[in-house]
Amino acid sequence: QNREKIVTTITYDSIFVYETDFLTPAITLIIGDYEQKSVEVDDAVFSIWNIKGNDYFSELFNSIVDTIPSQIRERRRAIEMNYSLDYSFNRFSIIEVPVQFYSYIRTWTQAQEVMQPEMVLFPEKGSLMNEADVESNIRNEKTWAQRGGREVSDEDAAIRTLNRFMYLFERTQSNFDWSQERGAVNITTTSNPFFLFPQLYNFRYNVFSSEWPVSNRLIELYLQDKTDDSNQIRQMNGISNNEKANLLMEQYPFKELLSNMEHRDLLDNITSLKGSYLFAPAEHNIGSGEYRDSLRAVLERNIFSNLRFEYLLDTLGVIADLDLHTPLKEWNNPTNLPFYTLWTPEVTQITNRDKEVYVVKQQITNDSDYDGMVDVEVNFRGGQSNIYDPREKRKVSIKAHETVNLVSVWDEAPRNININTLISENLPASINLPINDIVRERNKPIDEERDYIVGNVTYETLGEVIVDNEDSTLFMLSEPDVVGLLPQWLDRVGDDSFRYSGVSPWRPPLQWTLTTHDKYYGAHIRSAYVIKNGSGNQTATWKIPVEVAGQYDLFYWVYKPDELRRGRGGRRGRRGSGRGDAEYHFKVKYDEHEENAYIDLQQSEEGWSELGSYFFSNDTVVVVLSNDTKLRVVTADAVKIVKR
């Protein structure tokens, strides 16, 4: 049977032709009843596309319409300068999408679905973002100013609100997510899906490798030069994500960690550390800034095209006179972690006639069996100058069991030296060493600037014995008071994948909790046990071996808790509120004697503080610290004896 052929003719009211100015990895089609509000800034069009009827913000920004272009220009320049990458597109649009639109965190890229070339897909009426609540934020700016005794005009409040909104696109992380369990604190963050870095990198460059698919993510993180968790997060968590990543890399190969779902939240930290360590020798050879500029130049020659990772390593290896392929073989094995001793920096002010300089000496010892690399940054008050100086931040290579003395000469005194041990066993991995004591001398030769290899280094001081909380044979804790079945069950199911936990200064843990801090004592691991104050039922005990009888001074390592740093003298929060409000109580047991000893943390400086002087026979001295104090928290760290 013959069937009649049916032809359907479709008539289009309009035909839209979309052509990109550049090659693009994706095309996004969004259809809706939109309104466009745009402004042209430096030959680029910046737009907001909102659904009709959803414009809740324009009227609130009417007073600063003429100021908005300059604010956009300033934010764009800040982002481009921060990463030394340009925004290549001629348009940038924030487009309103339904509130249920969701994007997922990806393993191999920072770009999520809300970030598309030239555009950001933003939730309806900004309903999920506090930064988009324009009316409330303007009102809050005025309220906060009034509380501080200041007046803020409508225009200033609107500008601050606009900048707060634009900063949303510069943040790498989301807001903090707090959790607490019996005094142990944990702060987590997730990637900010609205972070604009993909517009500068992911939609312009692509580094690929069949063997290492993570290569593009590695370069992406390396170019961001992102520091680890903020100092607040690190102190609250007791261990940073980079430090957790180090401990994992010591146990598992990089390839295995890339597919490890249990620790997927640490994958960026692991990848970033691997990238930094891969390129650290190259930075050491030609300088950190110079090497990163070379990498950006190679990428720029391959803009909007695919660049093979192996070719990139070949090119960068020639520039840095280095083999960058061999280290990749180690990615198939667990990582050997070096560990370092960081000595106190020495600064000498030398005045010769009309010339005055500061000679800085920083000694670092690699105590491990593995070669290592550290990052050394010398910081000044307000910055040394506007001129780039490669000496201020550089990589230093230290061989196994080697001590280097870094000697540098400056026109002004440094404020501090920050040493990041990168991939290492050190906790914290990054230590800030303040410059406190400056020796002043006149008419003295100025040391030559270079890295000296130091031989015959010893840590031992004659007649001195130190016992730290990390010494499991000479340090012990009382058993916790656990009452009821629920606490016992929580102990069994608690996350013990990492030894160190965070503690809350305003709600300390009810049992001894191990944490780390750069102001604690420790050769490689600066840790201490922390517990809430109590009746004296919880104790920490140090056993100090005495080999030679004699007169000894006994010291305890003092760390001042936050309540004293804020000028508080006790739980009531008043300075000097009463005798003994800031005391720790000790018992010193020796030669069948037992004596009480005290340290007033309010009066003591941080570091070694004397408990008393005693005559010890060649036996064992026992020092016991109790939780009987009016301070909120007790810290058990290290003790030492020094023979007179």
Side-chain angles (χ1 to χ4, degrees), residues 418-481:
N418 192 80
I419 300 177
N420 188 340
T421 58
L422 302 175
I423 294 182
S424 75
E425 287 187 11
N426 285 66
L427 292 175
S430 183
I431 298 291
N432 187 279
L433 303 172
I435 305 295
N436 294 322
D437 300 321
I438 298 179
V439 178
R440 289 171 172 79
E441 297 186 0
R442 302 181 66 87
N443 301 322
K444 179 183 176 181
I446 299 173
D447 299 76
E448 179 186 354
E449 277 195 329
R450 66 186 183 95
D451 299 345
Y452 294 85
I453 305 299
V454 182
N456 301 321
V457 175
T458 179
Y459 305 115
E460 297 181 0
T461 301
L462 188 63
E464 179 180 277
V465 180
I466 299 175
V467 177
D468 188 25
N469 65 282
E470 289 285 339
D471 191 334
S472 59
T473 61
L474 300 176
F475 176 81
M476 61 195 68
L477 299 166
S478 58
E479 290 294 327
D481 292 332

Side-chain angles (χ1 to χ4, degrees), residues 347-351 354-360 378 380-381 383-385 387 389 391-392 408-415 438 446 449:
V347 179
T348 305
Q349 179 189 33
I350 299 178
T351 304
D354 58 346
K355 185 176 182 180
E356 180 180 277
V357 296
Y358 294 84
V359 178
V360 178
V378 182
F380 297 83
R381 298 185 186 278
Q384 169 77 346
S385 69
I387 302 174
D389 189 337
R391 301 177 305 156
E392 291 185 23
S408 55
V409 181
W410 307 90
D411 292 331
E412 64 175 287
R415 180 181 59 187
I438 298 179
I446 299 173
E449 277 195 329

Side-chain angles (χ1 to χ4, degrees), residues 122-123 125-133 165 168 171 192 194:
F122 208 68
K125 289 189 175 181
S127 54
L128 303 178
M129 316 303 299
N130 291 332
E131 293 84 351
D133 188 353
F165 173 74
L168 170 65
R171 288 166 34 197
N192 175 20
F194 302 107

Side-chain angles (χ1 to χ4, degrees), residues 337-351:
L337 300 184
F339 48 88
Y340 308 90
T341 296
L342 311 179
W343 300 71
T344 302
E346 299 177 3
V347 179
T348 305
Q349 179 189 33
I350 299 178
T351 304

Side-chain angles (χ1 to χ4, degrees), residues 277-302:
Y277 213 71
L278 171 65
F279 296 136
E283 290 187 25
H284 175 262
N285 282 5
I286 66 174
S288 176
E290 291 79 359
Y291 182 74
R292 290 175 183 272
D293 288 343
S294 299
L295 171 57
R296 294 185 187 96
V298 176
L299 291 172
E300 192 62 27
R301 292 198 296 269
N302 294 271

Side-chain angles (χ1 to χ4, degrees), residues 15 56 86 112 118 138 205 293 339 397 411 416 420 508 520:
I15 297 177
Y56 64 93
D86 296 328
Q112 299 183 29
E118 301 185 5
I138 290 176
Y205 314 109
D293 288 343
F339 48 88
S397 175
D411 292 331
N416 56 61
N420 188 340
Y520 292 157

Side-chain angles (χ1 to χ4, degrees), residues 191-457:
S191 297
N192 175 20
F194 302 107
F195 180 40
L196 282 180
F197 189 81
Q199 301 285 351
L200 307 180
Y201 177 82
N202 300 75
F203 303 145
R204 302 175 71 203
Y205 314 109
N206 182 53
V207 177
F208 74 99
S209 170
S210 57
E211 183 177 4
W212 296 104
V214 75
S215 57
N216 194 53
R217 183 67 171 137
L218 183 144
I219 299 298
E220 180 184 5
L221 290 168
Y222 176 74
L223 285 176
Q224 290 180 37
D225 196 18
K226 188 171 66 173
T227 57
D228 198 11
D229 309 324
S230 72
N231 193 45
Q232 179 188 7
I233 295 179
R234 202 228 161 274
Q235 290 186 21
M236 294 298 296
N237 287 351
I239 184 171
S240 73
N241 283 343
N242 272 5
E243 290 157 2
K244 289 180 180 179
N246 275 334
L247 298 177
L248 288 173
M249 287 190 291
E250 187 179 27
Q251 302 176 54
Y252 308 102
F254 185 31
K255 269 193 173 180
E256 187 174 332
L257 288 171
L258 290 175
S259 58
N260 187 321
M261 295 301 296
E262 181 182 358
H263 298 293
R264 186 174 179 179
D265 59 321
L266 298 174
L267 184 55
D268 276 359
N269 300 87
I270 295 168
T271 305
S272 179
L273 283 170
K274 281 295 186 183
S276 296
Y277 213 71
L278 171 65
F279 296 136
E283 290 187 25
H284 175 262
N285 282 5
I286 66 174
S288 176
E290 291 79 359
Y291 182 74
R292 290 175 183 272
D293 288 343
S294 299
L295 171 57
R296 294 185 187 96
V298 176
L299 291 172
E300 192 62 27
R301 292 198 296 269
N302 294 271
I303 190 171
F304 299 118
S305 63
N306 294 317
L307 174 62
R308 186 175 292 277
F309 184 48
E310 290 75 14
Y311 171 79
L312 176 64
L313 295 183
D314 286 337
T315 306
L316 294 174
V318 171
I319 293 172
D321 190 22
L322 201 66
D323 174 16
L324 292 175
H325 287 276
T326 300
L328 300 187
K329 298 177 182 177
E330 298 300 322
W331 289 4
N332 295 301
N333 305 310
T335 304
N336 295 321
L337 300 184
F339 48 88
Y340 308 90
T341 296
L342 311 179
W343 300 71
T344 302
E346 299 177 3
V347 179
T348 305
Q349 179 189 33
I350 299 178
T351 304
N352 293 333
R353 294 185 179 179
D354 58 346
K355 185 176 182 180
E356 180 180 277
V357 296
Y358 294 84
V359 178
V360 178
K361 297 181 180 180
Q362 176 62 61
Q363 191 162 290
I364 306 172
T365 299
N366 182 346
D367 296 301
S368 73
D369 297 329
Y370 313 110
D371 296 347
M373 186 81 65
V374 300
D375 185 271
V376 179
E377 184 174 8
V378 182
N379 298 307
F380 297 83
R381 298 185 186 278
Q384 169 77 346
S385 69
N386 294 325
I387 302 174
Y388 167 69
D389 189 337
R391 301 177 305 156
E392 291 185 23
K393 182 177 174 62
R394 64 190 184 99
K395 297 292 192 299
V396 178
S397 175
I398 309 176
K399 295 181 179 179
H401 302 290
E402 181 179 78
T403 297
V404 297
N405 192 12
L406 313 177
V407 178
S408 55
V409 181
W410 307 90
D411 292 331
E412 64 175 287
R415 180 181 59 187
N416 56 61
I417 297 176
N418 192 80
I419 300 177
N420 188 340
T421 58
L422 302 175
I423 294 182
S424 75
E425 287 187 11
N426 285 66
L427 292 175
S430 183
I431 298 291
N432 187 279
L433 303 172
I435 305 295
N436 294 322
D437 300 321
I438 298 179
V439 178
R440 289 171 172 79
E441 297 186 0
R442 302 181 66 87
N443 301 322
K444 179 183 176 181
I446 299 173
D447 299 76
E448 179 186 354
E449 277 195 329
R450 66 186 183 95
D451 299 345
Y452 294 85
I453 305 299
V454 182
N456 301 321
V457 175

